[in-house]
Amino acid sequence: MADRLAGVPLAPYTTLRTGGPARAFTQARTQDELVAIVAEADHEGEPVLVLGGGSNLVVSDGGFDGLVVRVATRGVDVTAPNSVAGDGRALVTVQAGEDWDALVARCVAEGWSGVECLSGIPGLVGSTPIQNVGAYGQDVSQTVAAVRVYDRATGEVGDLTAAECGFAYRHSAFKHDPGRHMVLAVTYALERSPLSGPVAYKELAARLGVEIGARVPLADAREAVLELRRGKGMVLDPDDPDTRSAGSFFTNPVLGPEEAAALALRAPGHPRWDMPDGTVKIPAAWLIENAGFPKGYEKGRVRISTKHTLALTNPSGEAGAAELLALAREVRDGVHEKFGVWLVNEPVLVGVSL
Ligand SMILES: Cc1cc2nc3c(=O)[nH]c(=O)nc-3n(C[C@H](O)[C@H](O)[C@H](O)COP(=O)(O)OP(=O)(O)OC[C@H]3O[C@@H](n4cnc5c(N)ncnc54)[C@H](O)[C@@H]3O)c2cc1C
């Protein structure tokens, strides 16, 4: 069994650089080790925090009073003879501890299409199904074929189909029942093609100089996405303080018809995306800016990114979670006061609340 260390500060393990010490900290290098560590902690009644790349976490300044398990499993399996889906797609099974963007880079190099627009997203593979990671018109629900999980409620290891994962916008069945399932590995079904999926995002199409729906060489899609993301401070870079964030702090609110009508009265002509199911998605960045919080808005040692309204940042890395959450509350309450819409946080809050 892996070593347990006491009092390990968590801030260095998160991209926001917040978080006090973990009572106990360990790493799991194999699936069996991961399951055994969590099963034993559950048996002992010890709280567990599963840690991936720490890029979607706000951890309390008081730390975590339990066991933090860092997922360090490795392996990408594409060689098995059964690794081709019935429809010709490649089935790529990846251990939870693999770096997500390294996987995307490999998919682009190998000619496996379907995740290229998810280039530059930090974190590990095992976290991608949790919030159905997405950007620039793609999300992993479009390519996840199966997720291997350890179910802490039943003590069993098994495979969930994509349908069983209950994917929605930045949401999944895993988020619905937080902590119950530990993701051990994810199988993606990827089209064997030198071309990207149809470009579905206006800004990306414009950068590539193509129409919506066009397909472009995989490497071109990846490069264009990385350029767009760097311009917004959304690719981790130690030299760019705007990237000391958890990515977008708020999700784009999805309103029912009544709420949408109420917002239209308060803000005639506001930007909106009409969804096929009759709901209306509103760009959270527009709400935030128009409620009086521009890019670079500062509160003590934390601020809204100077490049991207949705990212709350800890530029020096010296502020705590409490300071960051005070800014998040000010923004959330300001938007509610002006527009009557409650913004919801995207990152997982550990030991703190908004
Ligand atoms: C600069 C920046 C840009 C970003 N851009 C995007 C973006 O474009 N789109 C997007 O969707 N997200 C984005 N994010 C958010 C984040 O990168 C993703 O949510 C990512 O998938 C989180 O992965 P992680 O390994 O860092 O997870 P962590 O932050 O370590 O964990 C997140 C949650 O998942 C749980 N978890 C982690 N691993 C497992 C596992 N194996 N089994 C069960 N639970 C687990 C944790 O307990 C926690 O609740 C961005 C973040 C940053 C910092």
Side-chain angles (χ1 to χ4, degrees), residues 222-244:
R222 175 168 168 81
E223 212 29 64
V225 166
L226 286 173
E227 276 172 24
L228 286 171
R229 293 184 67 95
R230 281 192 199 105
K232 295 177 189 171
M234 293 299 267
V235 177
L236 289 184
D237 175 354
D239 294 330
D240 182 352
D242 274 327
T243 71
R244 231 149 278 142

Side-chain angles (χ1 to χ4, degrees), residues 13-16 34 48-58 69 71 96-98 100 117-136 170 174 178-179 181-185 229 233-237 242-248 311 346-350:
Y13 289 97
T14 71
T15 55
L16 255 178
L34 189 52
V48 173
L49 171 64
V50 179
L51 176 68
S55 63
N56 210 25
L57 284 178
V58 185
V69 186
V71 182
E98 286 285 341
W100 170 254
C117 296
L118 304 177
S119 292
I121 298 179
L124 305 185
V125 164
S127 319
T128 59
I130 306 283
Q131 70 151 355
N132 183 20
V133 159
Y136 295 99
R170 294 300 174 277
F174 305 112
H181 293 99
M182 264 180 29
V183 175
L184 303 177
R229 293 184 67 95
M234 293 299 267
V235 177
L236 289 184
D237 175 354
D242 274 327
T243 71
R244 231 149 278 142
S245 77
S248 298
E346 183 183 305
V348 175
L349 309 182
V350 178

Side-chain angles (χ1 to χ4, degrees), residues 169-352:
Y169 165 66
R170 294 300 174 277
H171 200 74
S172 70
F174 305 112
K175 270 200 137 173
H176 200 66
D177 203 352
R180 173 168 170 179
H181 293 99
M182 264 180 29
V183 175
L184 303 177
V186 184
T187 300
Y188 302 90
L190 300 165
E191 190 189 347
R192 292 176 188 275
S193 168
L195 296 181
S196 69
V199 174
Y201 202 83
K202 226 163 129 189
E203 192 186 15
L204 178 60
R207 170 61 63 116
L208 286 160
V210 298
E211 296 293 318
I212 287 280
R215 301 182 66 172
V216 301
L218 288 172
D220 291 3
R222 175 168 168 81
E223 212 29 64
V225 166
L226 286 173
E227 276 172 24
L228 286 171
R229 293 184 67 95
R230 281 192 199 105
K232 295 177 189 171
M234 293 299 267
V235 177
L236 289 184
D237 175 354
D239 294 330
D240 182 352
D242 274 327
T243 71
R244 231 149 278 142
S245 77
S248 298
F249 197 92
F250 296 107
T251 53
N252 293 318
V254 179
L255 307 183
E258 277 174 26
E259 294 165 298
L263 176 62
L265 284 178
R266 287 195 191 214
H270 68 79
R272 53 187 277 160
W273 297 294
D274 290 281
M275 308 305 281
D277 63 358
T279 59
V280 180
K281 201 194 272 185
I282 312 294
W286 185 91
L287 295 171
I288 293 170
E289 278 165 18
N290 286 278
F293 303 101
K295 292 187 183 85
Y297 180 86
E298 263 177 312
K299 193 178 171 80
R301 293 180 293 183
V302 294
R303 68 170 188 225
I304 294 178
S305 162
T306 64
K307 305 186 185 74
H308 185 46
T309 317
L310 281 185
L312 304 189
T313 65
N314 179 10
S316 65
E318 282 163 11
E323 278 177 83
L324 191 95
L325 285 160
L327 173 62
R329 270 178 222 119
E330 186 184 340
V331 170
R332 180 201 59 183
D333 294 348
V335 166
H336 184 255
E337 200 173 308
K338 176 100 195 235
F339 295 113
V341 174
W342 283 115
L343 293 180
V344 173
N345 54 292
E346 183 183 305
V348 175
L349 309 182
V350 178
V352 287

